[in-house]
Amino acid sequence: MRTLTALLVCCGLAGCAGDRESADVWFTTDGGSLRAVSRDVEPRPALVLRALLAGPTPAERNRGLRTDLPARVELISSSLRAGTVRVELRSDELGRYEPTTLVFALRLSQLVYTLTG
């Protein structure tokens, strides 16, 4: 079981928590770009991460949205303190830490965009 811990500066989420009843979750397209979709969740780290990890809906998949995060990622913990989010994810499928790959960049981008949206 591999664990990934990430610290993300997250001023956007910290500044709007409680102000909205929805949050943007970012998925990838077949062309490798990112697109936001709205989810009816409070903009709190654990809630938006769970929405992201649930993946796109069937209708969104039909529109070409997908996720580059592995299918069985478990959210271990998340915390927001002084504008910084700490996220710990676990999965057998996270693979080696290879920050120069496109897959790694898309996975990280999905997390960062979702948490700072």
Side-chain angles (χ1 to χ4, degrees), residues 71-91:
R72 290 177 290 279
V73 174
E74 179 184 1
L75 174 61
I76 302 301
S77 67
S78 65
S79 62
L80 172 62
R81 189 172 292 129
T84 300
V85 174
R86 182 179 189 273
V87 176
E88 186 175 359
L89 304 170
R90 181 172 32 208
S91 172

Side-chain angles (χ1 to χ4, degrees), residues 9-101:
V9 176
C10 200
C11 299
L13 184 63
C16 69
D19 294 348
R20 297 174 29 192
E21 293 186 21
S22 66
D24 287 339
V25 176
W26 289 80
F27 295 114
T28 55
T29 67
D30 292 335
S33 62
L34 294 166
R35 296 267 163 73
V37 297
S38 184
R39 293 288 187 263
D40 291 331
V41 297
E42 287 184 49
R44 294 184 179 177
L47 298 176
V48 296
L49 284 170
R50 284 189 182 102
L52 174 64
L53 295 176
T57 65
E60 292 163 349
R61 283 194 298 273
N62 287 339
R63 291 195 322 258
L65 296 180
R66 61 183 174 83
T67 182
D68 278 279
L69 296 169
R72 290 177 290 279
V73 174
E74 179 184 1
L75 174 61
I76 302 301
S77 67
S78 65
S79 62
L80 172 62
R81 189 172 292 129
T84 300
V85 174
R86 182 179 189 273
V87 176
E88 186 175 359
L89 304 170
R90 181 172 32 208
S91 172
D92 288 335
E93 300 174 32
L94 281 174
R96 287 186 8 164
Y97 175 77
E98 296 181 33
T100 58
T101 65

